Short mmCIF file of all heavy atoms in Angstrom, two decimals:
data_model
loop_
_atom_site.label_atom_id
_atom_site.label_comp_id
_atom_site.label_asym_id
_atom_site.label_seq_id
_atom_site.Cartn_x
_atom_site.Cartn_y
_atom_site.Cartn_z
N ASP A 294 41.83 21.16 -31.48
CA ASP A 294 40.76 20.20 -31.65
C ASP A 294 40.22 20.19 -33.08
O ASP A 294 40.01 19.14 -33.70
CB ASP A 294 39.59 20.40 -30.67
CG ASP A 294 40.02 20.12 -29.26
OD1 ASP A 294 40.99 19.41 -28.99
OD2 ASP A 294 39.30 20.65 -28.33
N ILE A 295 40.01 21.44 -33.63
CA ILE A 295 39.52 21.48 -34.96
C ILE A 295 40.51 20.92 -35.97
O ILE A 295 40.15 20.21 -36.89
CB ILE A 295 39.22 22.98 -35.38
CG1 ILE A 295 38.04 23.50 -34.51
CG2 ILE A 295 38.94 23.18 -36.83
CD1 ILE A 295 37.81 25.02 -34.66
N ALA A 296 41.77 21.25 -35.78
CA ALA A 296 42.84 20.71 -36.70
C ALA A 296 42.98 19.24 -36.56
O ALA A 296 43.13 18.55 -37.56
CB ALA A 296 44.16 21.40 -36.36
N SER A 297 42.83 18.69 -35.39
CA SER A 297 43.00 17.25 -35.20
C SER A 297 41.83 16.48 -35.89
O SER A 297 42.03 15.48 -36.56
CB SER A 297 43.03 16.93 -33.67
OG SER A 297 43.04 15.50 -33.46
N ASN A 298 40.61 17.00 -35.69
CA ASN A 298 39.38 16.41 -36.39
C ASN A 298 39.55 16.51 -37.89
O ASN A 298 39.22 15.57 -38.63
CB ASN A 298 38.16 17.06 -35.92
CG ASN A 298 37.86 16.76 -34.48
OD1 ASN A 298 38.32 15.75 -33.89
ND2 ASN A 298 37.13 17.68 -33.76
N ALA A 299 40.06 17.70 -38.34
CA ALA A 299 40.25 17.87 -39.78
C ALA A 299 41.31 16.91 -40.36
O ALA A 299 41.15 16.33 -41.47
CB ALA A 299 40.62 19.29 -40.11
N MET A 300 42.35 16.61 -39.54
CA MET A 300 43.40 15.70 -39.99
C MET A 300 42.76 14.29 -40.16
O MET A 300 43.08 13.53 -41.11
CB MET A 300 44.54 15.64 -39.03
CG MET A 300 45.65 14.69 -39.35
SD MET A 300 46.50 15.06 -40.95
CE MET A 300 47.50 16.46 -40.45
N ASP A 301 41.96 13.87 -39.19
CA ASP A 301 41.36 12.57 -39.27
C ASP A 301 40.49 12.47 -40.52
O ASP A 301 40.51 11.40 -41.19
CB ASP A 301 40.47 12.30 -38.03
CG ASP A 301 41.35 12.17 -36.77
OD1 ASP A 301 42.56 11.94 -36.84
OD2 ASP A 301 40.82 12.40 -35.63
N GLU A 302 39.71 13.49 -40.81
CA GLU A 302 38.84 13.43 -41.99
C GLU A 302 39.67 13.39 -43.26
O GLU A 302 39.35 12.70 -44.23
CB GLU A 302 37.91 14.62 -42.01
CG GLU A 302 36.97 14.68 -43.19
CD GLU A 302 35.96 15.80 -43.09
OE1 GLU A 302 35.52 16.09 -41.98
OE2 GLU A 302 35.54 16.30 -44.16
N LEU A 303 40.74 14.21 -43.28
CA LEU A 303 41.56 14.29 -44.50
C LEU A 303 42.17 12.88 -44.78
O LEU A 303 42.22 12.50 -45.95
CB LEU A 303 42.68 15.37 -44.38
CG LEU A 303 43.63 15.40 -45.52
CD1 LEU A 303 43.00 15.90 -46.76
CD2 LEU A 303 44.88 16.29 -45.15
N ILE A 304 42.74 12.32 -43.77
CA ILE A 304 43.35 11.01 -43.93
C ILE A 304 42.36 9.94 -44.53
O ILE A 304 42.74 9.22 -45.46
CB ILE A 304 44.00 10.42 -42.65
CG1 ILE A 304 45.18 11.38 -42.33
CG2 ILE A 304 44.41 9.01 -42.78
CD1 ILE A 304 45.77 11.03 -40.94
N ARG A 305 41.08 9.98 -44.12
CA ARG A 305 40.09 9.10 -44.65
C ARG A 305 39.82 9.46 -46.16
O ARG A 305 39.64 8.57 -46.97
CB ARG A 305 38.82 9.12 -43.82
CG ARG A 305 38.97 8.59 -42.41
CD ARG A 305 37.66 8.40 -41.71
NE ARG A 305 36.80 7.44 -42.44
CZ ARG A 305 35.53 7.18 -42.03
NH1 ARG A 305 35.00 7.76 -40.92
NH2 ARG A 305 34.80 6.29 -42.67
N LEU A 306 39.74 10.81 -46.44
CA LEU A 306 39.57 11.18 -47.80
C LEU A 306 40.75 10.77 -48.70
O LEU A 306 40.55 10.51 -49.89
CB LEU A 306 39.39 12.70 -47.83
CG LEU A 306 38.05 13.27 -47.23
CD1 LEU A 306 38.13 14.81 -47.24
CD2 LEU A 306 36.87 12.80 -48.01
N LEU A 307 41.98 10.78 -48.12
CA LEU A 307 43.10 10.44 -48.90
C LEU A 307 43.17 8.94 -49.16
O LEU A 307 43.65 8.49 -50.28
CB LEU A 307 44.37 10.93 -48.18
CG LEU A 307 44.61 12.43 -48.21
CD1 LEU A 307 45.69 12.76 -47.16
CD2 LEU A 307 45.03 12.88 -49.57
N GLN A 308 42.79 8.15 -48.22
CA GLN A 308 43.05 6.70 -48.29
C GLN A 308 41.84 5.90 -48.73
O GLN A 308 41.93 4.71 -49.02
CB GLN A 308 43.53 6.20 -46.90
CG GLN A 308 44.84 6.83 -46.46
CD GLN A 308 45.26 6.33 -45.10
OE1 GLN A 308 44.49 5.73 -44.30
NE2 GLN A 308 46.50 6.57 -44.78
N THR A 309 40.67 6.52 -48.83
CA THR A 309 39.45 5.79 -49.24
C THR A 309 39.09 6.15 -50.67
O THR A 309 39.15 7.30 -51.06
CB THR A 309 38.27 6.24 -48.35
OG1 THR A 309 38.60 6.01 -46.93
CG2 THR A 309 37.01 5.39 -48.68
N ASN A 310 38.71 5.14 -51.42
CA ASN A 310 38.27 5.34 -52.77
C ASN A 310 36.80 5.30 -52.83
O ASN A 310 36.13 6.26 -52.37
CB ASN A 310 38.84 4.23 -53.70
CG ASN A 310 40.39 4.36 -53.83
OD1 ASN A 310 40.91 5.42 -53.80
ND2 ASN A 310 41.05 3.19 -53.81
N GLU A 311 36.17 4.31 -53.29
CA GLU A 311 34.67 4.24 -53.29
C GLU A 311 34.23 3.91 -51.82
O GLU A 311 35.02 3.14 -51.13
CB GLU A 311 34.14 3.19 -54.20
CG GLU A 311 34.44 3.46 -55.71
CD GLU A 311 33.91 2.44 -56.61
OE1 GLU A 311 33.44 1.31 -56.11
OE2 GLU A 311 33.86 2.60 -57.84
N PRO A 312 33.11 4.36 -51.32
CA PRO A 312 32.10 5.19 -52.03
C PRO A 312 32.29 6.67 -51.97
O PRO A 312 31.45 7.39 -52.34
CB PRO A 312 30.81 4.74 -51.25
CG PRO A 312 31.33 4.51 -49.84
CD PRO A 312 32.70 3.99 -49.98
N LEU A 313 33.46 7.11 -51.36
CA LEU A 313 33.62 8.58 -51.17
C LEU A 313 33.91 9.28 -52.51
O LEU A 313 33.46 10.36 -52.78
CB LEU A 313 34.74 8.85 -50.23
CG LEU A 313 34.37 8.86 -48.76
CD1 LEU A 313 35.59 9.06 -47.87
CD2 LEU A 313 33.35 9.98 -48.43
N TRP A 314 34.75 8.61 -53.36
CA TRP A 314 35.15 9.18 -54.64
C TRP A 314 34.55 8.46 -55.80
O TRP A 314 34.41 7.25 -55.77
CB TRP A 314 36.67 9.23 -54.70
CG TRP A 314 37.32 10.03 -53.56
CD1 TRP A 314 37.81 9.56 -52.43
CD2 TRP A 314 37.43 11.47 -53.60
NE1 TRP A 314 38.28 10.62 -51.67
CE2 TRP A 314 38.10 11.80 -52.33
CE3 TRP A 314 37.19 12.47 -54.49
CZ2 TRP A 314 38.40 13.07 -51.99
CZ3 TRP A 314 37.45 13.79 -54.21
CH2 TRP A 314 38.09 14.09 -52.92
N MET A 315 34.35 9.16 -56.89
CA MET A 315 33.87 8.58 -58.09
C MET A 315 34.48 9.29 -59.29
O MET A 315 35.03 10.36 -59.19
CB MET A 315 32.35 8.66 -58.17
CG MET A 315 31.79 10.10 -58.16
SD MET A 315 30.00 10.10 -58.13
CE MET A 315 29.71 11.89 -58.18
N LYS A 316 34.49 8.64 -60.38
CA LYS A 316 35.08 9.22 -61.68
C LYS A 316 34.02 10.04 -62.35
O LYS A 316 32.89 9.65 -62.57
CB LYS A 316 35.55 8.08 -62.59
CG LYS A 316 36.73 7.34 -62.07
CD LYS A 316 38.02 8.18 -62.12
CE LYS A 316 39.22 7.36 -61.78
NZ LYS A 316 40.51 8.13 -61.80
N SER A 317 34.41 11.30 -62.78
CA SER A 317 33.63 12.17 -63.56
C SER A 317 33.62 11.74 -65.01
O SER A 317 34.39 10.86 -65.43
CB SER A 317 34.00 13.58 -63.42
OG SER A 317 35.28 13.80 -63.91
N ALA A 318 32.84 12.38 -65.86
CA ALA A 318 32.81 12.05 -67.32
C ALA A 318 34.09 12.27 -67.97
O ALA A 318 34.46 11.51 -68.88
CB ALA A 318 31.75 12.93 -68.01
N ASP A 319 34.95 13.24 -67.50
CA ASP A 319 36.26 13.45 -68.07
C ASP A 319 37.36 12.76 -67.34
O ASP A 319 38.57 13.06 -67.56
CB ASP A 319 36.58 14.98 -68.13
CG ASP A 319 36.45 15.57 -66.72
OD1 ASP A 319 36.06 14.92 -65.79
OD2 ASP A 319 36.64 16.85 -66.69
N GLY A 320 37.11 11.79 -66.51
CA GLY A 320 38.06 10.96 -65.83
C GLY A 320 38.66 11.50 -64.54
O GLY A 320 39.53 10.92 -63.97
N ARG A 321 38.12 12.66 -64.04
CA ARG A 321 38.66 13.26 -62.82
C ARG A 321 37.97 12.51 -61.63
O ARG A 321 36.92 11.99 -61.70
CB ARG A 321 38.31 14.75 -62.77
CG ARG A 321 38.98 15.53 -63.90
CD ARG A 321 38.41 16.93 -63.95
NE ARG A 321 38.64 17.63 -62.67
CZ ARG A 321 37.65 18.15 -61.96
NH1 ARG A 321 36.41 18.05 -62.32
NH2 ARG A 321 37.88 18.81 -60.88
N GLU A 322 38.74 12.59 -60.51
CA GLU A 322 38.18 12.10 -59.24
C GLU A 322 37.43 13.25 -58.52
O GLU A 322 38.00 14.16 -58.13
CB GLU A 322 39.32 11.53 -58.35
CG GLU A 322 39.73 10.10 -58.67
CD GLU A 322 40.62 9.53 -57.62
OE1 GLU A 322 41.71 10.15 -57.28
OE2 GLU A 322 40.32 8.48 -57.07
N VAL A 323 36.14 13.02 -58.36
CA VAL A 323 35.33 14.02 -57.64
C VAL A 323 34.64 13.39 -56.57
O VAL A 323 34.40 12.12 -56.49
CB VAL A 323 34.29 14.71 -58.63
CG1 VAL A 323 35.01 15.47 -59.76
CG2 VAL A 323 33.36 13.64 -59.31
N LEU A 324 34.16 14.15 -55.55
CA LEU A 324 33.59 13.68 -54.32
C LEU A 324 32.12 13.28 -54.50
O LEU A 324 31.38 14.05 -55.20
CB LEU A 324 33.69 14.70 -53.23
CG LEU A 324 33.47 14.27 -51.82
CD1 LEU A 324 34.52 13.22 -51.39
CD2 LEU A 324 33.56 15.52 -50.87
N ASN A 325 31.71 12.13 -54.02
CA ASN A 325 30.33 11.69 -54.00
C ASN A 325 29.67 12.39 -52.77
O ASN A 325 29.90 11.97 -51.62
CB ASN A 325 30.21 10.21 -53.91
CG ASN A 325 28.76 9.76 -54.02
OD1 ASN A 325 27.88 10.33 -53.49
ND2 ASN A 325 28.63 8.63 -54.76
N LEU A 326 29.00 13.51 -53.02
CA LEU A 326 28.49 14.35 -51.88
C LEU A 326 27.56 13.61 -50.96
O LEU A 326 27.56 13.80 -49.80
CB LEU A 326 27.85 15.61 -52.46
CG LEU A 326 28.76 16.59 -53.22
CD1 LEU A 326 27.96 17.77 -53.71
CD2 LEU A 326 29.89 16.99 -52.25
N GLU A 327 26.67 12.76 -51.54
CA GLU A 327 25.66 12.02 -50.71
C GLU A 327 26.44 11.11 -49.71
O GLU A 327 26.14 11.13 -48.55
CB GLU A 327 24.78 11.23 -51.57
CG GLU A 327 23.81 12.16 -52.45
CD GLU A 327 22.83 11.24 -53.16
OE1 GLU A 327 22.87 10.02 -53.05
OE2 GLU A 327 22.04 11.85 -53.94
N ASN A 328 27.37 10.39 -50.20
CA ASN A 328 28.14 9.46 -49.28
C ASN A 328 29.00 10.28 -48.31
O ASN A 328 29.19 9.86 -47.15
CB ASN A 328 28.97 8.50 -50.10
CG ASN A 328 28.15 7.50 -50.86
OD1 ASN A 328 27.02 7.20 -50.48
ND2 ASN A 328 28.69 7.04 -52.00
N TYR A 329 29.54 11.42 -48.80
CA TYR A 329 30.41 12.21 -47.94
C TYR A 329 29.59 12.79 -46.80
O TYR A 329 30.02 12.72 -45.63
CB TYR A 329 31.01 13.32 -48.81
CG TYR A 329 31.78 14.36 -47.98
CD1 TYR A 329 32.96 14.05 -47.35
CD2 TYR A 329 31.31 15.74 -47.84
CE1 TYR A 329 33.73 14.99 -46.59
CE2 TYR A 329 32.02 16.64 -47.08
CZ TYR A 329 33.16 16.28 -46.51
OH TYR A 329 33.88 17.25 -45.76
N GLU A 330 28.41 13.27 -47.01
CA GLU A 330 27.61 13.88 -45.99
C GLU A 330 27.09 12.76 -45.06
O GLU A 330 26.91 13.03 -43.88
CB GLU A 330 26.41 14.61 -46.60
CG GLU A 330 26.82 15.88 -47.32
CD GLU A 330 25.64 16.54 -48.11
OE1 GLU A 330 24.53 15.94 -47.93
OE2 GLU A 330 25.87 17.57 -48.71
#
């Protein structure tokens, strides 16, 4: 069950851009913690 739920979350993290991910000052993709939570 834990692995299945983790897989669902990972796929959303992989396939979703904004608002989960944002660009840092050096151009890296970092997680938007407020939206993630």
Side-chain angles (χ1 to χ4, degrees):
D294 290 340
I295 293 174
S297 178
N298 294 333
M300 178 64 74
D301 294 339
E302 180 174 328
L303 175 67
I304 291 176
R305 292 190 65 181
L306 290 173
L307 288 165
Q308 297 179 346
T309 306
N310 294 322
E311 296 180 352
L313 275 176
W314 298 97
M315 60 183 182
K316 291 289 185 179
S317 64
D319 54 358
R321 299 170 57 239
E322 279 192 302
V323 295
L324 195 63
N325 187 320
L326 293 179
E327 293 183 1
N328 293 332
Y329 173 68
E330 292 173 3

